Amino acid sequence: MTIKKLDGKIPDGPVDQKWNQHRFNMKLINPSNKRKFKVIVVGTGLAGASAAATLAELGYQVDAFCISDSPRRAHSIAAQGGINAAKNYPNDGDSVWRLFYDTVKGGDFRAREANVYRLAQVSNSIIDQCVAQGVPFAREYGGTLSNRSFGGAQVSRTFYARGQTGQQLLLGAYSAMMKEVHKNRIKVFTRREMVELVVIDGKARGIIARNIITGELEKHSADAVLLCTGGYGNVFFLSTNAMASNSSAAWKAYKKGAYFGNPCFTQIHPTCIPVHGENQSKLTLMSESLRNDGRVWVPKAQGDKRPPNEIPDDERDYYLERVYPSFGNLAPRDVSSRQAKYAVDQGRGVGKSGYAVYLDFRDAIKRDGQKAIADRYGNLFDMYQQITAENPYEVPMRIYPAVHYTMGGLWVDYNLMSSVPGLFVLGEANFSDHGANRLGASALMQGLADGYFVIPYTLGNYFATEKPEKTPVTTEHPEFEQALKSSASRFEQLFAVNGKRSVDSFHKELGHIMWEYVGMARDEEGLKKAIGLIQNLRKEFWKDVRVTGSDVGVNLELEKANRVADFIELGELMARDALERKESCGGHFRVESQTEDNEALRDDENFCHVAAWEFQSVDTAPLRHIEELKFENVHLSQRSYK
Amino acid sequence: MSDGNMNLKLKVWRQKNTKDAGQMVDYSLEGVSPDMSFLEMMDMLNEKLVNEGQDSIAFDHDCREGICGMCSMMINGQAHGPKDLTTTCQLHMRSFKDGDTVVVEPWRARAFPVMKDLMVDRSAFDQIIAAGGFVNVNTGNAPDGNAIPISKENADLAMDAAACIGCAACVASCKNASAMLFVSAKISQLALLPQGEVEGEERVRSMVSKMDELGFGNCTNEAECEASCPKGISISNIARMNRQYFTSAIKAK
């Protein structure tokens, strides 16, 4: 097989005209014909809920699938900080162009310009839509919307609803969805997990879903399938993702021919509460707004175990301020995370485990008073105290980086369609808009942009062009029967192993391998080692995993086993991708490719492209295709935060 | 950080499925770290059960940071356990002592059948929202976000109500299994904002009647719901809902 150069189907014309022109060029479906088309939406987070609601409003029949007991639980709900838009309400020089520019640069030049421009363009409509739905954004005394600055941006473009912006936006999208449920245009299937994609004559025509309550496998057919299933940070076992967040739907699609784009691009967030022990199940993020006032430090001496308040100033190393005098404690996420790792690797980590650094508010409290700090961060300080039983007004917080977001995901073209016709991928589940590093307050923007304002147009064009209604399929089609059988046999196999080790023990071991070798700093030797270790782990999993209970009714062990089996395979692909990308960019740091000052060094000559992996078989190495990236508006430059 | 691991006795509700009668089962667990969350303690117990070849205990959980509203346990008779303003996932084992006996049960309400062990079916809440918990505005149909000024006071009050996570602790804590705190939080959020006010009267009638139809009880002003709410939703929302309901009922065509 030869390596393909993929076509992102980016429309012609100047970047600021592409989307307008494309919308005009796309074919439409007559309103009364829309009801003849059925769309399956898998996942009901920001991307899935907004897509389901909007498509139903247009008249399509929508079947929405969600893994939890209600669409309102999706992990978009946990986003704290806010959502960006180029409204320029504060009159501080923002514009669509600047949001576009910041996002391309922030992504370290590994995203498509055309996609990012479109994202910036529709950002304003998202805010309007959410306000109209009754999302209670923060307001000024005059009654207008409030903005704050976020994630190193030099303008205030972030809209927020206290520290619960993700919750409010998700509940807005959920209510829009329930409004269509009320009108019988959306059917919601809760507590379902997609376990197979059904492809007929080369097109996505349905899914096999597992009913988590009964254990039954169900066949669902449609004219198109939308995957809105989020990211795969839980490959690392410990991450800020929710417990049920998983990669299995995307992984099944990958095995059915959807290419996986840039799987190694992982975002490691610098300010999380450190791990307390082996029984830890997940990590909790502390909003990075804390870095506006907190100072990050470690002791200068190795192994200094004195309580922090007994360490005098001249024996502290405020390393971010030292290394990045102009950005200081506000250096971007990837840079700050890596510096924390260096400090810990040097034996200067703090706390019982040594895997933490201090985030100290002593000076801010001295300067502004405890009340001012409590007004700004009270809820975060309370949350920290609840988890650690330490009072951050008196002793510095301990923080450490944690896996937070995956920029990689299924490869999609400009229309959000994967390499399987009829399979569209939205939100974090696709690879498209954030390049190698996502900026703060951009995830919510992308999820809603894809669902409210992109897919309603591009899906209609697909239907109008491909005419799936002319080749109707039902669940009686032999491909459905085949897919159902192969899913059933997979679950049987998981029981049949009947080994000695729990599912979680495998997941934790995978997490350790990933964190050690495919985490914040990666090198050739470590990545090769990781691939070997993961392959062995996969073999051991299928020899020794123990799934208790039965396949009838609720069985959490069986659910987890199915997901962990996929995580193991995806972990291997992430290591392969990281190994092949012999440059550093954004969140992907290759030790071999760094500047004299230990910063990420891109190699634009050889790697200014998206890597899109094509599945062969579990035991055969996948093929690495590429999509070349062209930068015609934002010129390639080295990021510098000094 | 505290040291000193604990040994606990646990009494956990086990029920195979909705039809099964169910019973309390005793377990003991050693070496529980005070830094673990309550759900991590449950994970530890499950790991032990799996290693003994037993079926693990089913319970709902997801984000484990107190916002998704999925976790739902009656711990020693209190929804989400002994700490105020705290979901089960954010409850830490330092709230317990070595040698304690901890009783863990599912939410109990007629409208929430037990599906297995500690998992209940809360889809009734979705049905109530689908009856009217939204603003009828289609995508693309919105004026500029600043076109309608909203007073900061009302925006803040709407946000207080909107903070509800839909966990249903309010129902589980109420002797009448009333859903009024949940329903009134959504009604208040939308009633306080000009965008939601337009359909306010229709909304309150349809949501309240759906709530009654689904078998939730009435409110007898004991405020157990407010006391158990992990997000501090105030019962003044119930008063607002009742006022709106009466006005709307009088004016109903």
Side-chain angles (χ1 to χ4, degrees):
Chain A
M1 290 275 292
T2 47
I3 301 304
K4 283 186 235 169
K5 287 212 170 160
L6 303 178
D7 178 6
K9 305 236 170 68
I10 297 164
D12 293 331
V15 72
D16 57 347
Q17 294 300 316
K18 286 177 195 287
W19 179 235
N20 295 346
Q21 196 57 41
H22 190 55
R23 279 198 298 175
F24 179 71
N25 290 341
M26 280 187 287
K27 290 184 188 158
L28 301 173
I29 302 269
N30 175 317
S32 60
N33 282 340
K34 287 197 177 92
R35 71 173 72 97
K36 295 178 187 159
F37 294 92
K38 190 184 224 182
V39 185
I40 284 176
V41 179
V42 187
T44 53
L46 285 179
S50 58
T54 307
L55 294 171
E57 287 164 5
L58 288 172
Y60 298 109
Q61 304 171 50
V62 177
D63 282 357
F65 293 79
C66 106
I67 197 166
S68 305
D69 69 337
S70 161
R72 65 178 293 151
R73 315 279 183 214
H75 198 54
S76 309
I77 207 161
Q80 300 169 355
I83 176 165
N84 286 332
K87 284 279 195 186
N88 194 31
Y89 286 150
N91 195 29
D92 60 356
D94 202 6
S95 61
V96 168
W97 192 273
R98 190 178 294 280
L99 176 54
F100 156 66
Y101 178 92
D102 288 353
T103 308
V104 169
K105 186 173 172 230
D108 216 359
F109 302 93
R110 291 296 174 263
R112 270 189 212 131
E113 275 193 343
N115 282 57
V116 178
Y117 194 88
R118 177 176 65 190
L119 176 68
Q121 223 173 347
V122 303
S123 65
N124 292 341
S125 306
I126 297 173
I127 301 303
D128 299 340
Q129 188 59 35
C130 295
V131 169
Q133 287 166 352
V135 169
F137 281 119
R139 300 250 164 194
E140 301 295 338
Y141 283 101
T144 55
L145 290 158
S146 188
N147 285 111
R148 63 182 171 198
S149 67
F150 204 78
Q154 287 166 305
V155 291
S156 290
R157 62 160 72 105
T158 305
F159 294 78
Y160 62 100
R162 293 198 189 139
Q164 293 121 279
T165 317
Q167 179 197 27
Q168 294 311 315
L169 296 180
L170 180 70
L171 294 181
Y174 159 76
S175 70
M177 211 180 135
M178 297 318 273
K179 152 177 83 62
E180 298 304 310
V181 169
H182 181 69
K183 295 173 185 156
N184 290 322
R185 291 191 193 134
I186 298 182
K187 232 173 132 184
V188 183
F189 295 84
T190 58
R191 298 205 193 252
R192 301 296 203 290
E193 184 162 11
M194 168 179 153
V195 292
E196 192 57 278
L197 178 73
V198 179
V199 180
I200 296 173
D201 298 329
K203 289 180 186 148
R205 295 307 293 263
I207 64 168
I208 304 296
R210 182 171 179 275
N211 181 325
I212 287 173
I213 300 302
T214 62
E216 283 164 324
L217 296 172
E218 307 165 340
K219 301 182 275 190
H220 297 272
S221 65
D223 296 296
V225 176
L226 273 51
L227 283 196
C228 313
T229 48
Y232 49 89
N234 272 346
V235 167
F236 289 80
F237 184 72
L238 286 180
S239 81
T240 64
N241 284 187
M243 303 304 285
S245 301
N246 71 80
S247 64
S248 287
W251 198 246
K252 301 301 187 225
Y254 166 71
K255 287 184 156 181
K256 283 284 175 88
Y259 299 163
F260 212 111
N262 297 332
C264 79
F265 287 171
T266 315
Q267 181 163 77
I268 299 192
H269 196 290
T271 54
C272 294
I273 297 176
V275 175
H276 62 66
E278 260 305 297
N279 289 104
Q280 181 119 16
S281 58
K282 79 150 270 164
L283 295 170
T284 303
L285 175 76
M286 301 293 290
S287 167
E288 70 183 328
S289 61
L290 289 168
R291 290 197 282 144
N292 284 314
D293 284 299
R295 297 178 71 194
V296 178
W297 65 277
V298 290
K300 281 187 179 163
Q302 283 183 5
D304 187 341
K305 288 286 166 197
R306 283 177 289 173
N309 292 340
E310 289 173 21
I311 300 179
D313 264 11
D314 59 355
E315 292 177 46
R316 298 176 174 194
D317 179 14
Y318 292 94
Y319 58 84
L320 287 177
E321 296 170 23
R322 174 171 58 78
V323 183
Y324 308 101
S326 68
F327 270 72
N329 294 298
L330 290 174
R333 290 178 175 177
D334 52 337
V335 170
S336 309
S337 294
R338 221 153 34 234
Q339 289 294 339
K341 176 184 157 54
Y342 292 151
V344 164
D345 288 350
Q346 289 160 0
R348 302 194 290 147
V350 302
K352 199 156 70 175
S353 68
Y355 285 94
V357 299
Y358 290 126
L359 178 63
D360 199 340
F361 291 86
R362 182 195 64 181
D363 297 343
I365 290 172
K366 218 184 285 174
R367 184 185 65 226
D368 300 339
Q370 179 159 333
K371 187 175 177 302
I373 297 300
D375 283 348
R376 269 171 239 167
Y377 311 112
N379 60 335
L380 295 169
F381 277 43
D382 293 347
M383 182 169 92
Y384 181 84
Q385 185 160 11
Q386 190 163 46
I387 294 174
T388 63
E390 288 177 356
N391 180 353
Y393 294 102
E394 286 164 12
V395 291
M397 286 184 180
R398 287 171 295 109
I399 55 164
Y400 201 59
V403 174
H404 178 55
Y405 188 89
T406 48
M407 285 74 69
L410 293 177
W411 182 87
V412 289
D413 64 16
Y414 186 74
N415 298 312
L416 303 182
M417 190 162 85
S418 72
S419 46
V420 176
L423 176 70
F424 293 78
V425 190
L426 284 65
E428 189 180 351
N430 73 27
F431 88 104
S432 68
D433 295 359
H434 306 295
N437 177 52
R438 182 177 64 74
L439 292 178
S442 286
L444 304 182
M445 176 171 66
Q446 187 222 336
L448 292 179
D450 287 358
Y452 285 137
F453 296 109
V454 180
I455 197 70
Y457 295 90
T458 60
L459 185 67
N461 186 54
Y462 170 78
F463 287 151
T465 320
E466 296 296 324
K467 308 193 189 310
E469 79 280 15
K470 299 232 160 115
T471 50
V473 297
T474 67
T475 53
E476 304 305 310
H477 193 284
E479 283 294 333
F480 274 95
E481 205 43 51
Q482 182 58 36
L484 187 88
K485 269 193 195 138
S486 87
S487 297
S489 88
R490 175 180 168 96
F491 287 102
E492 280 159 22
Q493 279 169 32
L494 286 167
F495 274 119
V497 178
N498 198 16
K500 290 192 188 64
R501 281 183 64 182
S502 71
V503 177
D504 279 357
S505 77
F506 282 100
H507 198 176
K508 284 181 188 180
E509 190 175 335
L510 174 67
H512 284 305
I513 299 170
M514 296 301 293
W515 184 248
E516 186 64 28
Y517 303 108
V518 201
M520 282 183 277
R522 303 149 171 191
D523 63 30
E524 184 175 335
E525 194 193 330
L527 290 166
K528 285 183 171 159
K529 188 170 174 192
I531 293 170
L533 289 171
I534 297 169
Q535 286 173 341
N536 290 341
L537 188 68
R538 171 161 54 84
K539 285 176 196 135
E540 202 185 320
F541 178 91
W542 286 104
K543 248 185 350 219
D544 203 21
V545 74
R546 176 174 210 169
V547 181
T548 53
S550 89
D551 62 349
V552 178
V554 179
N555 188 333
L556 302 175
E557 291 302 312
L558 184 61
E559 281 171 43
K560 284 194 291 189
N562 175 48
R563 294 169 201 159
V564 171
D566 292 334
F567 279 141
I568 294 174
E569 293 178 18
L570 173 54
E572 184 183 332
L573 184 70
M574 290 166 73
R576 278 182 191 281
D577 186 46
L579 180 64
E580 290 304 317
R581 189 172 282 279
K582 298 182 181 70
E583 64 158 354
S584 298
C585 56
H588 170 62
F589 189 77
R590 278 292 296 262
V591 176
E592 302 92 332
S593 180
Q594 49 183 311
T595 65
E596 282 174 11
D597 311 322
N598 309 109
E599 299 303 337
L601 181 65
R602 285 199 325 268
D603 175 357
D604 292 327
E605 205 169 310
N606 295 304
F607 292 99
C608 196
H609 60 236
V610 176
W613 294 85
E614 182 183 1
F615 178 72
Q616 299 294 294
S617 84
V618 175
D619 293 306
T620 318
L623 296 178
R624 183 180 191 270
H625 304 302
I626 62 167
E627 180 199 339
E628 279 178 359
L629 294 170
K630 291 194 187 71
F631 292 90
E632 290 160 347
N633 299 281
V634 186
H635 295 292
L636 287 160
S637 63
Q638 177 73 37
R639 289 195 312 166
S640 172
Y641 295 94
K642 292 263 170 185
Chain B
M1 204 179 292
S2 29
D3 283 301
N5 289 348
M6 304 177 278
N7 299 334
L8 297 175
K9 290 194 176 64
L10 293 147
K11 291 180 179 297
V12 183
W13 184 259
R14 300 300 309 259
Q15 181 174 339
K16 285 196 180 71
N17 52 46
T18 308
K19 287 178 192 137
D20 183 26
Q23 57 176 328
M24 298 300 290
V25 178
D26 292 349
Y27 299 99
S28 63
L29 193 59
E30 277 120 49
V32 175
S33 154
D35 291 327
M36 286 163 58
S37 71
F38 195 86
L39 296 184
E40 285 165 356
M41 183 278 292
M42 293 297 292
D43 291 342
M44 192 178 171
L45 174 61
N46 271 343
E47 179 85 6
K48 185 179 157 191
L49 294 179
V50 169
N51 288 333
E52 290 166 0
Q54 298 185 53
D55 192 15
S56 58
I57 300 164
F59 60 91
D60 273 325
H61 65 106
D62 199 14
C63 77
R64 297 205 176 188
E65 48 190 281
I67 191 76
C68 76
M70 188 88 176
C71 62
S72 50
M73 289 179 190
M74 273 296 191
I75 300 166
N76 290 340
Q78 285 179 286
H80 293 300
K83 283 199 78 173
D84 285 348
L85 300 175
T86 304
T87 54
T88 297
C89 66
Q90 294 283 287
L91 175 67
H92 283 74
M93 296 311 293
R94 65 180 79 93
S95 296
F96 299 88
K97 295 189 310 290
D98 186 36
D100 274 0
T101 299
V102 184
V103 182
V104 191
E105 293 167 276
W107 285 172
R108 295 193 189 279
R110 191 196 305 162
F112 298 153
V114 173
M115 306 182 102
K116 185 180 178 186
D117 303 334
L118 306 169
M119 280 169 84
V120 300
D121 178 4
R122 285 170 288 190
S123 56
F125 270 16
D126 282 340
Q127 292 182 55
I128 295 175
I129 297 294
F134 46 77
V135 175
N136 260 306
V137 56
N138 285 0
T139 306
N141 204 4
D144 185 84
N146 266 345
I148 309 171
I150 299 173
S151 75
K152 186 173 185 319
E153 191 191 353
N154 275 0
D156 285 347
L157 282 171
M159 181 62 218
D160 289 343
C164 167
I165 58 174
C167 66
C170 48
V171 177
S173 305
C174 175
K175 63 172 185 174
N176 307 326
S178 165
M180 280 194 146
L181 193 66
F182 168 78
V183 177
S184 69
K186 183 49 73 182
I187 283 172
S188 288
Q189 176 203 338
L190 296 176
L192 284 158
L193 299 171
Q195 290 83 4
E197 207 186 346
V198 181
E199 302 165 88
E201 294 184 358
E202 169 77 31
R203 175 180 306 116
V204 71
R205 281 199 301 272
S206 51
M207 287 179 78
V208 168
S209 89
K210 180 56 85 175
M211 170 180 92
D212 292 343
E213 175 196 322
L214 291 168
F216 291 101
N218 218 325
C219 173
T220 44
N221 284 318
E222 298 196 18
E224 290 289 345
C225 53
E226 184 185 70
S228 72
C229 176
K231 297 294 150 182
I233 305 293
S234 158
I235 50 166
S236 61
N237 289 304
I238 298 183
R240 186 180 289 109
M241 175 175 81
N242 285 340
R243 271 200 309 276
Q244 207 186 16
Y245 185 77
F246 292 132
T247 326
S248 126
I250 291 164
K251 288 203 281 188
K253 290 156 200 146

